[in-house]
Amino acid sequence: MSEQEKSTEAALRVCWVLNKHQKPFSDSEIAKECMLEVATALFQENKKIVTSIQDIPLSARSNTRRTELLAAENKKSLFELLHKSPCYCIALDESCDLVDSEQMSIFVRFFDIENKVFREELLTILTFEGKTRGEDLFKSFDNFMKKSDLSDDKIVSISTDGAPAMMGKEKGFKLSATLKDVMDGLIKLIKFIRSRSSLQHRQFKEFLCQCDSAYSDLLQHNHVRWLSKGRVVERFWNIKEEVKTFLKNVDTEEAKKHSEFLENNRNIVAMAFLNDILKYLNTLNVELQGEGKLICDLIQSVSAFRRKQISDKINRLSP
């Protein structure tokens, strides 16, 4: 290759590393400065090396263009492998980003025939404007599959996060009426403390600090559903006594209602059950996540979870 082509390859390699580590494009100038310092220290007599490094184009604008080229090539290679694969599995996850833009991530798992390995890749991220009903999500997914020339006949399974828009509101795991009321009441209480007033929220955190509490704040449930409610209940349960004391010192009618909610023994018992069962379900969820898991591994984890629950029930019932 010519010297210019070598410089271009070097710039592409730097872009690849920056993207792999999710670093901003402007860091390439810092990387170049580091390379110059190293080359100056190690190769003082060989000025050609220093000159070659100086000629590498690593501006932020150039990196943006090169990253688009790398992304296009990476996407092209992935789709070529998918077209050769006899079948694949799809996983869908719909949620909001930091600026409340709705989007759906599509992941694919397939057998790479060329390299003889299973691969799990992010296939695409679809954005939405307006409503995100189940039919909207399906139409967007269907249009993407047709546009990408991917066959629906090769899909052997589709996994979702269990959200109503993904599963249908009449199906999936549901809480009983009593547990749902307690969960809804708990979420409203947390929102009252955290979101009703910034002053009140600061006072609550200062109160926890003065009490030497195990935690410095409550967690707030959001629309990212994975493990969210389980963590919220667990955090609240560990500092519920501090929350009771704080609410008694807030002189408002709403605070009084929330305080009465926590004084109800039935609500506390239901909350304890939620904390217990969601903790077990979260542990199972973590075991089912990650790369390289086969269906036999997932079945083994679920079976072990069921056996453990049955064993715990027998132990509790035994005299």
Side-chain angles (χ1 to χ4, degrees):
M1 294 189 296
S2 64
E3 293 299 321
Q4 184 178 359
E5 289 173 336
K6 290 180 181 179
S7 296
T8 301
E9 180 186 349
L12 285 168
R13 290 181 179 274
V14 172
C15 287
W16 183 267
V17 173
L18 290 175
N19 281 282
K20 186 169 65 174
H21 295 281
Q22 300 180 11
K23 297 297 182 180
F25 297 147
S26 56
D27 284 2
S28 59
E29 294 291 348
I30 300 175
K32 184 175 181 178
E33 185 177 346
C34 292
M35 288 190 290
L36 286 172
E37 293 294 334
V38 171
T40 302
L42 298 180
F43 310 104
Q44 294 180 356
E45 298 179 356
N46 194 339
K47 295 183 179 180
K48 183 179 179 181
I49 295 178
V50 177
T51 303
S52 298
I53 295 175
Q54 289 176 335
D55 292 339
I56 300 175
L58 289 176
S59 66
R61 181 176 297 179
S62 298
N63 284 342
T64 302
R65 186 174 62 256
R66 292 192 182 93
T67 298
E68 291 173 349
L69 292 173
L70 289 170
E73 183 65 25
N74 197 34
K75 180 180 178 181
K76 178 183 176 183
S77 300
L78 175 60
F79 278 71
E80 288 177 352
L81 291 174
L82 281 175
H83 289 143
K84 296 177 182 179
S85 179
C87 60
Y88 36 79
C89 304
I90 297 292
L92 308 175
D93 180 30
E94 175 266 332
S95 68
C96 298
D97 61 10
L98 293 175
V99 294
D100 288 334
S101 296
E102 289 285 347
Q103 56 190 19
M104 180 171 65
S105 304
I106 303 179
F107 300 87
V108 62
R109 178 185 174 94
F110 65 99
F111 184 71
D112 185 345
I113 295 179
E114 293 185 357
N115 299 304
K116 307 299 181 184
V117 294
F118 281 99
R119 293 181 57 177
E120 297 174 3
E121 302 285 349
L122 173 63
L123 191 57
T124 188
I125 296 179
L126 303 178
T127 57
F128 297 89
E129 295 181 1
K131 296 182 179 180
T132 55
R133 301 166 299 178
E135 58 184 290
D136 300 319
L137 300 178
F138 173 77
K139 288 180 180 178
S140 181
F141 172 76
D142 188 48
N143 290 335
F144 167 77
M145 294 293 288
K146 291 178 180 177
K147 184 179 179 181
S148 304
D149 195 24
L150 295 175
S151 175
D152 293 335
D153 296 334
K154 289 186 177 182
I155 300 177
V156 295
S157 69
I158 296 181
S159 304
T160 71
D161 61 356
M166 306 297 289
M167 295 292 294
K169 64 179 182 179
E170 301 301 331
K171 297 181 180 180
F173 175 76
K174 286 188 177 184
L175 297 175
S176 66
T178 301
L179 293 177
K180 185 179 185 303
D181 290 341
V182 173
M183 176 63 79
D184 291 343
L186 178 60
I187 298 301
K188 290 179 181 178
L189 192 160
I190 294 174
K191 287 183 177 179
F192 167 74
I193 293 177
R194 287 186 54 113
S195 306
R196 179 56 58 86
S197 167
S198 57
L199 173 61
Q200 180 174 275
H201 188 201
R202 289 197 302 271
Q203 291 174 340
F204 176 70
K205 292 194 291 185
E206 291 174 0
F207 175 75
L208 292 179
C209 183
Q210 294 172 1
C211 296
D212 292 329
S213 176
Y215 297 100
S216 60
D217 200 359
L218 288 169
L219 293 178
Q220 188 167 6
H221 173 60
N222 54 51
H223 293 297
V224 180
R225 298 167 181 84
W226 185 67
L227 299 183
S228 180
K229 283 187 177 179
R231 296 273 176 84
V232 168
V233 176
E234 181 182 10
R235 173 70 65 87
F236 182 87
W237 182 259
N238 289 328
I239 58 174
K240 62 182 183 301
E241 297 302 326
E242 289 91 329
V243 175
K244 287 182 181 179
T245 304
F246 178 79
L247 289 174
K248 290 179 180 178
N249 295 327
V250 179
D251 189 19
T252 63
E253 287 297 322
E254 191 170 357
K256 184 178 179 180
K257 290 180 180 179
H258 290 306
S259 181
E260 293 174 353
F261 171 80
L262 292 179
E263 295 297 333
N264 188 313
N265 290 331
R266 185 180 180 184
N267 292 339
I268 293 298
V269 171
M271 204 179 300
F273 176 79
L274 282 172
N275 180 50
D276 192 38
I277 191 63
L278 290 177
K279 181 171 63 177
Y280 284 119
L281 291 174
N282 283 354
T283 302
L284 176 62
N285 273 336
V286 172
E287 292 181 2
L288 299 179
Q289 307 298 320
E291 297 182 0
K293 295 283 184 74
L294 301 177
I295 186 63
C296 54
D297 300 324
L298 305 183
I299 292 176
Q300 184 178 6
S301 297
V302 173
S303 299
F305 175 79
R306 288 174 174 172
R307 287 196 299 270
K308 186 177 186 306
Q309 303 314 308
I310 294 174
S311 176
D312 290 345
K313 288 180 180 178
I314 293 174
N315 292 335
R316 286 196 294 265
L317 293 175
S318 300

